[in-house]
Amino acid sequence: MACFRPFIEHLVNMGLSPKTVRRHVDNLWSLGGEIIRDLHYDPSVRKRTAERLLRDAVHPDGGPLVHNGSEEGQRSFDATCRKLHRFLSQTQH
């Protein structure tokens, strides 16, 4: 959650509606779940930092495929992941 906090604060500071921010937060929960799922399937990635796992999961075109998700849910999830990717790229040292 600590990795997501600056991004959530950024969304709030953008002036997005509470409903939109909530949708992005829900999608971040899904992203965390997908990262955890990957950790269970590939123990070798457990040595990576949380920030590295996050940066590896999101891309300019979206995020990982959400298990048991709808097409509409995947589009929303990908939109959040694209926005997160842009945010991480801008804040990269």
Side-chain angles (χ1 to χ4, degrees):
M1 191 63 192
C3 291
F4 293 141
R5 184 172 301 280
F7 177 63
I8 295 168
E9 290 172 358
H10 169 74
L11 295 174
V12 170
N13 292 334
M14 288 176 60
L16 299 175
S17 74
K19 182 178 178 181
T20 300
V21 172
R22 210 170 19 256
R23 179 177 47 84
H24 285 301
V25 169
D26 290 346
N27 287 333
L28 291 174
W29 274 102
S30 294
L31 176 59
E34 293 304 320
I35 291 171
I36 290 169
R37 180 188 306 272
D38 290 345
L39 292 174
H40 287 292
Y41 286 120
D42 186 359
S44 69
V45 299
R46 291 181 185 171
K47 296 177 183 177
R48 296 180 189 164
T49 65
E51 184 178 345
R52 182 79 245 152
L53 291 169
L54 183 59
R55 289 182 184 274
D56 289 346
V58 296
H59 307 281
D61 57 344
L65 182 63
V66 178
H67 292 77
N68 301 322
S70 67
E71 190 173 323
E72 180 182 334
Q74 183 70 47
R75 278 194 302 271
S76 174
F77 177 76
D78 285 338
T80 298
C81 289
R82 285 190 298 272
K83 194 174 284 287
L84 176 58
H85 181 269
R86 283 191 302 274
F87 175 79
L88 293 173
S89 296
Q90 292 171 353
T91 60
Q92 199 170 27
H93 298 80

